[in-house]
Amino acid sequence: MKDEARVRKARCYADLKRKILTMAMEPGSDIDEAALSQAYEISRPPFREVLRQLAGEGYITLVENRGAKVSGMNHKTLRDFFIAAPMIYSAVSQLAAKNATDLQIQKLKETQKQFRAAIASGDVEGRALNNERFHAIIGEMADNIYLEPSLTRLLIDHARIGMTFYKPRSRQMAENLKAAAEQHDEFIALIEVGDDQSIARLAVEHWELSRNQIELYVTPAGLDIPLDVASPARQA
């Protein structure tokens, strides 16, 4: 029974993460502890442990005397996201090129296959989840206790933004998605040879590709506040 309880708890954790990343649970929405613990067939104490773990990773927010909420997204979080993304992605990628193991590289290649398969089949959820997994593995490669939590929080919103804004609606958007997949292949190649300088530049280019897609949607006409004021590429 203990093993079965652990399996249910792990399934609950993984499924809640997936629902948050794919926007099945909307940003800022309340988490019904009673209903969800019943749905996942686990008691309240282990369910609260799952919530605490998710809160520690940035997926949810625990509010004293008010329960839990899915981490919100608003203009400030989007602006912070745009500022932090190029710096974090670049630093993490550099360290990954220096520290990656053969096993991690193999995991990255397998995830890339799944990412390409999701693009080919038009699976938006699969694309978002495999893209998140691809960059999370690069974070594992970096092996830095300060950067990895920041990357995790960044990837949560990147996946959610991706679910909302990366559905190709034009030839250009489809071509950008293809270019992103090709850049993933470049990440793998540079990590394999340990080229930390080239991969730092590639990380910023990869971010710029994403930023161009996102800004089509999150910057309404007439909005004068730049979302990525600290982006190195934009300041150059």
Side-chain angles (χ1 to χ4, degrees), residues 14 16 23 60 66 68 70 72 78 132 134 141-143 149-151 153 160 176-177 183 191 200 212 215 232:
L16 288 176
M23 302 282 280
I60 69 172
R66 294 182 61 186
V70 177
L78 285 172
E132 186 272 342
F134 184 91
M141 292 173 170
D143 192 26
S150 298
L151 177 68
R153 185 64 184 87
R160 296 195 291 183
N176 285 352
L177 205 53
Q183 287 179 338
I191 288 170
N212 290 338
E215 284 193 337

Side-chain angles (χ1 to χ4, degrees), residues 46-83:
F47 184 77
R48 287 169 183 157
E49 290 176 9
V50 169
L51 293 184
R52 284 194 291 271
Q53 183 175 356
L54 290 171
E57 294 170 353
Y59 290 89
I60 69 172
T61 301
L62 298 177
V63 184
E64 189 174 359
N65 299 321
R66 294 182 61 186
K69 291 179 176 289
V70 177
S71 292
M73 290 177 66
N74 52 39
H75 187 271
K76 183 182 187 306
T77 59
L78 285 172
R79 181 170 179 169
D80 289 347
F81 171 84
F82 272 63
I83 291 171

Side-chain angles (χ1 to χ4, degrees), residues 212-223:
N212 290 338
Q213 292 280 79
I214 296 167
E215 284 193 337
L216 293 174
Y217 294 89
V218 300
T219 310
L223 180 62

